[in-house]
Amino acid sequence: MSQINQYRRKFLGAASAAFTGLSIAPGILLQTVHAKANDEAVTSKQRWGLLIDTNLCEPGCTDCIDACNQENGLRDIHGPETDAQWIRKVTLKHQKTGHVLNMPVMCQHCAEPPCVDVCPTGASFKRADGIVLVDKHICIGCRYCMMACPYKARSFIHEKLTDQLPHAPRGKGTVEGCTLCVHRIDRGENTTACTQACPNGAMTFGDLKNPESEISQKLAQHSGKELRAKLKLDTGVRYQGIQG
Amino acid sequence: MSTQRYQALASSSAFKTSLIVGLLVLGIAGFAAFNMEHEGHYITGMSNQVVWGIPHVFAIFLIVSASGALNIASIASVFNKDFYKPLARLSAVVAIALLVGGLAVILLDLGRPDRLLIAMTHYNFGSIFAWNIILYTGFIGIAAIYLWTMLDWQVERFKRLAGIAAFSWRLVLTAGTGSIFGVLVAREAYQIAIMGPMFIVLSLGYGQAFYLIVIGLFMDERQLSKISERLSRLMVMMILYGLAASVIYHLSNWLLFDARQFEHYLLYSETVFPLLLWGVHLVIGSILPIWLLRSGSGPIKLILSGSLVIIGGIAQFYSLIIGGQTFPMPLVEGYEATSSFFDGVIVSYSPSSWELMLGSGGFAIALLLIVFCLRLFRLLPVDR
């Protein structure tokens, strides 16, 4: 082999390595700036939560619900009595002042979740980062968690399902609810489908333990209420704009 | 000291009829369970609002009654009352049978009944439900040992010890069953410490009602005539205790706790619940059997009054379990809520035939177990 050919071969090798490195580097760098790397263990350093500004939540808008349904493969089957609803739009009217507000209600991801307390097999569990989930492998479908949930945030799957999405395992005879888009969080994304879909920015997702996060900043500025605060469940979802 | 003699049940018409009826109902229940498992729960009246339906009403009623059915044996062994000693064996059998019937219904109504092994091997010890699984299986074991000490003279010396163990266990079991509801802080119907003690008191009457039906059906009239008057008096007392417990529950809701609206819903609203509580539980299930039992005794009256108490008890449990779920939960204090998920409204529930069929299976299993044991073992007292 001539000397020129050897140089050319070395040059091409070095160029390919540099090109490959440049292609991979942004991905690696992106991982480091995101909330959590895909292979990074879940820790209690974060507590994920949502802040909902009811003043910005428009009546009749169902964008967050539609986004959730699409993200997790939920669809209408046998009607609202038995169909799963991970997120629902609630309209509230103050009994004295007549003040009307709208808000999405989903699993409140309590720090002291009653569903986890009552689950006989431990299928209902809370991750270190505060996300409350159901382990579909050991859920026996007793529905005791649904009896215990103060927010009616869980649904039971009443029929056979097909075409489930890989990141949202669901099955007949088990209980499910909002996962706070855990598949996104575990991919390192810093948002949920509902938050992303809200046209008015009424929903803010973030780390409640990080004082620099947008959600913590907003809470520090205007505070936020827990639904059924009397129960002292320390919910991860907070609401602004509720009177009284 | 004279020894009490016992006999097994002869192949009587009552035995054959019970066997046929039991097997028939069990077959129907099995078909319903298969269909519910195959199709999913959408074919039932249960929903995401009313998650526990009539199968749970039947199952929990049977489990609570199981504890009370052991009462006769407890009076005999623990409190050493000679009159009840010949009746104790049957009492333990009825208790085990009712519990097995109740558990079978709960199991078959699970979304995933095929995961029984998971329920038996994965325990969340913080869950009252998990504790109850241990209490129920433990009760069957302890009551079976107690029965053994009553049947086998070689281990008879352990009878009192086993009796005390079974008595203590059943008190914890019934309090535990009540606490399944007691710990549900989310719902206004249940957030009170009275649920456990109330279930213990209620169990006495409901368990004995089953016992009265069993002796009315299977004990010969001569034996029955010796005991029926005293058992009738005991039954009247138990009905009154149960009524007192119910009054305390409703009064405490009304006066002491933040559940007055729920009480209004149960007792005065235009729903089915006032009819069930005032009409079926109070009149048909309490006053009428008291009148029947006070007006003389005999197999027909025992069977009839026992059945009425059971009907009244089911009505009471239906109101408690279904009423507690159909009544709306508050979401934000001071606000009225509406949504696509039935927030702020009274939700409807109509039990489907599948649920009724499955629930009836619990009674069929209990009946079959009782008649098999009556035929296999010497449980019925005869003259010395």
Side-chain angles (χ1 to χ4, degrees):
Chain A
M1 193 182 290
S2 72
Q3 208 170 12
I4 294 167
N5 275 349
Q6 272 184 351
Y7 283 138
R8 194 163 61 189
R9 186 167 286 187
K10 275 183 186 171
F11 172 77
L12 284 172
S16 316
F19 182 75
T20 310
L22 282 169
S23 310
I24 295 168
I28 296 167
L29 290 171
L30 271 174
Q31 293 294 330
T32 57
V33 295
H34 265 195
K36 189 184 79 62
N38 207 5
D39 55 354
E40 196 180 319
V42 174
T43 71
S44 57
K45 284 176 189 165
Q46 288 113 3
R47 184 179 176 205
W48 302 113
L50 281 170
L51 176 64
I52 293 154
D53 188 343
T54 59
N55 295 312
L56 298 176
C57 184
E58 277 188 25
C61 172
T62 58
D63 287 1
C64 55
I65 298 166
D66 299 339
C68 175
N69 291 347
Q70 195 177 352
E71 178 84 10
N72 298 295
L74 275 66
R75 60 181 190 277
D76 297 344
I77 305 174
H78 286 111
E81 284 88 0
T82 52
D83 287 348
Q85 291 191 43
W86 291 13
I87 178 171
R88 65 188 190 270
K89 187 78 173 274
V90 177
T91 303
L92 293 160
K93 187 179 176 187
H94 198 279
Q95 284 164 333
K96 286 180 182 166
T97 63
H99 175 237
V100 175
L101 54 89
N102 294 279
M103 59 187 197
V105 175
M106 68 293 284
C107 172
Q108 302 289 295
H109 298 280
C110 311
E112 306 288 343
C115 56
V116 174
D117 288 342
V118 301
C119 177
T121 64
S124 278
F125 69 103
K126 189 183 71 168
R127 297 206 326 178
D129 57 3
I131 301 175
V132 177
L133 297 171
V134 181
D135 182 345
K136 302 293 166 54
H137 296 291
I138 57 171
C139 175
I140 56 172
C142 70
R143 288 100 81 196
Y144 195 21
C145 57
M146 296 174 75
M147 288 289 281
C149 177
Y151 309 105
K152 294 204 302 178
R154 287 201 163 174
S155 298
F156 179 68
I157 302 302
H158 287 77
E159 57 280 292
K160 278 178 202 160
L161 296 179
T162 50
D163 303 327
Q164 294 97 317
L165 302 172
H167 62 257
R170 310 173 63 217
K172 176 170 72 88
T174 58
V175 173
E176 59 183 32
C178 160
T179 63
L180 215 57
C181 283
V182 68
H183 55 284
R184 287 182 174 224
I185 294 170
D186 285 348
R187 279 202 306 252
E189 292 175 38
N190 213 350
T191 187
T192 62
C194 54
T195 308
Q196 208 171 25
C198 181
N200 300 325
M203 302 173 83
T204 308
F205 170 82
D207 181 6
L208 293 165
K209 281 190 175 173
N210 178 6
E212 304 302 319
S213 68
E214 189 187 356
I215 189 169
S216 296
Q217 298 279 331
K218 282 185 175 176
L219 278 168
Q221 207 174 357
H222 299 294
S223 189
K225 284 196 169 182
E226 293 181 40
L227 298 183
R228 303 192 72 179
K230 271 186 186 174
L231 299 176
K232 295 180 178 163
L233 303 175
D234 186 8
T235 57
V237 181
R238 306 288 170 98
Y239 292 83
Q240 289 179 336
I242 298 174
Q243 283 182 355
Chain B
M1 191 180 127
S2 59
T3 312
Q4 174 67 49
R5 285 176 59 240
Y6 296 89
Q7 66 180 12
L9 182 68
S11 183
S12 61
S13 61
F15 168 74
K16 285 173 188 162
T17 313
S18 304
L19 203 62
I20 293 165
V21 170
L23 286 171
L24 198 69
V25 177
L26 185 63
I28 293 169
F31 174 63
F34 171 78
N35 211 25
M36 280 169 65
E37 165 64 10
H38 186 70
E39 294 292 332
H41 276 61
Y42 82 91
I43 62 167
T44 71
M46 289 179 272
S47 63
N48 283 325
Q49 319 302 322
V50 179
V51 299
W52 284 357
I54 201 82
H56 299 81
V57 173
F58 285 173
I60 292 164
F61 182 74
L62 283 168
I63 290 167
V64 169
S65 301
S67 160
L70 198 71
N71 203 33
I72 300 288
S74 296
I75 298 171
S77 301
V78 181
F79 301 105
N80 211 23
K81 299 284 181 195
D82 288 338
F83 175 82
Y84 293 98
K85 285 183 179 170
L87 310 172
R89 294 176 170 191
L90 184 57
S91 166
V93 166
V94 175
I96 294 170
L98 292 175
L99 190 63
V100 172
L103 288 180
V105 175
I106 286 211
L107 170 71
L108 291 171
D109 184 74
L110 290 176
R112 295 295 304 262
D114 55 309
R115 290 182 174 173
L116 175 64
L117 204 62
I118 288 173
M120 305 294 281
T121 51
H122 287 66
Y123 281 111
N124 167 20
F125 286 105
S127 163
I128 186 75
F129 207 149
W131 279 105
N132 273 290
I133 294 171
I134 297 168
L135 287 171
Y136 297 153
T137 45
F139 180 81
I140 293 170
I142 288 175
I145 291 169
Y146 182 29
L147 183 63
W148 177 33
T149 63
M150 287 190 277
L151 291 172
D152 186 351
W153 63 269
Q154 286 176 310
V155 289
E156 199 183 5
R157 62 185 182 281
F158 300 112
K159 190 166 73 181
R160 191 169 155 76
L161 187 68
I164 291 169
F167 174 70
S168 315
W169 196 276
R170 82 176 173 89
L171 289 183
V172 180
L173 177 147
T174 323
T177 308
S179 301
I180 285 179
F181 297 95
V183 300
L184 297 177
V185 291
R187 296 178 189 268
E188 290 182 334
Y190 312 127
Q191 54 191 325
I192 45 176
I194 204 170
M195 295 301 288
M198 181 174 82
F199 270 43
I200 291 177
V201 179
L202 293 178
S203 75
L204 302 173
Y206 299 147
Q208 204 190 326
F210 279 104
Y211 190 84
L212 289 188
I213 294 172
V214 172
I215 59 168
L217 282 173
F218 303 112
M219 198 176 269
D220 71 71
E221 278 199 46
R222 216 158 69 87
Q223 288 294 324
L224 199 63
S225 63
K226 291 180 190 171
I227 57 167
S228 59
E229 199 185 323
R230 195 156 166 181
L231 284 182
S232 297
R233 281 208 305 272
L234 186 68
M235 185 71 235
V236 170
M237 264 174 60
M238 297 307 175
I239 295 171
L240 291 173
Y241 286 156
L243 273 181
S246 306
V247 169
I248 291 168
Y249 165 77
H250 291 293
L251 261 182
S252 59
N253 266 356
W254 188 267
L255 297 172
L256 302 174
F257 298 91
D258 197 18
R260 189 168 285 194
Q261 277 188 319
F262 175 68
E263 272 307 307
H264 189 273
Y265 172 67
L266 277 190
L267 300 174
Y268 295 109
S269 64
E270 286 177 2
T271 61
V272 72
F273 301 112
L275 177 70
L276 288 176
L277 284 172
W278 294 109
V280 183
H281 174 53
L282 182 66
V283 178
I284 296 173
S286 306
I287 295 172
L288 198 55
I290 289 175
W291 174 77
L292 268 174
L293 291 163
R294 299 283 294 166
S295 66
S297 48
I300 302 295
K301 279 194 175 170
L302 287 184
I303 294 168
L304 191 60
S305 51
S307 305
L308 291 175
V309 170
I310 289 168
I311 290 168
I314 290 172
Q316 184 189 25
F317 274 55
Y318 186 93
S319 305
L320 206 65
I321 296 169
I322 308 297
Q325 296 173 83
T326 52
F327 189 71
M329 282 195 286
L331 198 59
V332 182
E333 212 167 307
Y335 282 85
E336 286 167 3
T338 50
S339 79
S340 61
F341 209 53
F342 308 96
D343 283 281
V345 295
I346 290 165
V347 291
S348 64
Y349 168 72
S350 313
S352 68
S353 51
W354 301 115
E355 288 164 86
L356 288 164
M357 283 151 70
L358 172 62
S360 308
F363 291 88
I365 289 171
L367 177 67
L368 287 171
L369 275 174
I370 290 167
V371 294
F372 274 125
C373 289
L374 278 169
R375 191 90 176 91
L376 283 175
F377 303 114
R378 291 173 179 174
L379 301 174
L380 296 167
V382 288
D383 285 338
R384 287 161 194 161

